Amino acid sequence: KRFGQDILKKPWGIAVTADNVFVTDCDLHALLQFRKNDCKLVKRTGTEGAGEGQLDVPRGLCSDYNGDVYVADCRNHRVSVFSKQLQFKKCLASQQLNSPVDVKVTPDSVVILDRSPNCIHFFSRSGDLLGSCVTQGEDGTVYQPQFFCLDVAGNILITDNMRHDVKILSPSGHLIHEIGKEGQER
């Protein structure tokens, strides 16, 4: 099955729920919802801009246990939150972010990958900053973060486009391991 044929221009992020597939498109400045069973477009939201519900180069996204969709709204320097029906709900972290590229939600927090200055930020579900960790240490831990996920232990796995590898960081941001490091046998 193909989602978004003749609809999408530059799809970037994807999140899947029981019934739907949500996709961000950087060129359309939009969040699109497709039915998972037949790939049909259900709804599109977002237009280019900085107002409520508008997006400017949306990147990574995720959904939470309520079905709300969190979008890393890169050029608006925030995370935009939409209901499962794609109604705008709120913005998070609009004063603390520079270039958010990915977002994940845990039961207790919203975790945001900010590409400039290479930080992981932890916010409460209501939007209060809980803490941050810099992912670019003296050893150049992460040069160009793109996507991330959290494992069951809370460790952070980040793709690094510049170093062509994946970094595993502790919840506090310390380097644990590198996967696929240049020069290693693949």
Side-chain angles (χ1 to χ4, degrees):
K1 294 182 180 182
R2 294 180 69 175
F3 290 96
Q5 187 174 7
D6 301 324
I7 297 172
L8 298 170
K9 287 188 175 183
K10 189 174 182 184
W12 192 271
I14 190 166
V16 179
T17 63
D19 300 320
N20 295 294
V21 175
F22 297 92
V23 178
T24 53
D25 191 300
C26 293
D27 281 359
L28 296 175
H29 306 281
L31 171 62
L32 299 98
Q33 177 183 10
F34 298 90
R35 280 193 305 256
K36 194 160 73 171
N37 64 346
D38 63 7
C39 305
K40 298 291 184 194
L41 179 66
V42 174
K43 189 168 184 180
R44 172 187 164 168
T45 192
T47 58
E48 185 174 7
E52 289 188 353
Q54 292 185 305
L55 300 167
D56 194 356
V57 186
R59 297 288 179 114
L61 72 157
C62 68
S63 63
D64 68 10
Y65 58 88
N66 292 320
D68 290 341
V69 180
Y70 293 69
V71 177
D73 192 358
C74 191
R75 288 197 189 147
N76 280 331
H77 318 289
R78 66 188 183 199
V79 169
S80 294
V81 183
F82 298 87
S83 71
K84 58 185 165 188
Q85 295 83 21
L86 296 192
Q87 299 299 312
F88 175 77
K89 291 182 82 170
K90 62 183 175 180
C91 290
L92 292 177
S94 58
Q95 302 299 313
Q96 295 99 341
L97 300 175
N98 291 313
S99 185
V101 293
D102 205 2
V103 59
K104 303 293 181 249
V105 178
T106 72
D108 302 320
S109 63
V110 178
V111 185
I112 302 167
L113 176 58
D114 196 351
R115 193 171 192 181
S116 174
N118 293 347
C119 284
I120 296 279
H121 302 286
F122 300 87
F123 289 88
S124 68
R125 299 286 296 254
S126 61
D128 297 320
L129 181 64
L130 302 173
S132 299
C133 66
V134 176
T135 59
Q136 184 171 351
E138 290 178 19
D139 65 343
T141 304
V142 178
Y143 284 102
Q144 194 174 52
Q146 203 70 350
F147 302 102
F148 80 106
C149 68
L150 306 171
D151 69 13
V152 294
N155 295 317
I156 304 161
L157 290 81
I158 303 176
T159 61
D160 188 340
N161 285 1
M162 184 69 77
R163 303 254 323 256
H164 313 290
D165 62 7
V166 174
K167 308 291 193 300
I168 302 175
L169 307 176
S170 70
S172 60
H174 294 100
L175 181 65
I176 296 173
H177 192 68
E178 296 172 295
I179 301 170
K181 185 175 178 180
E182 268 190 282
Q184 291 180 344
E185 190 172 320
R186 299 179 194 253

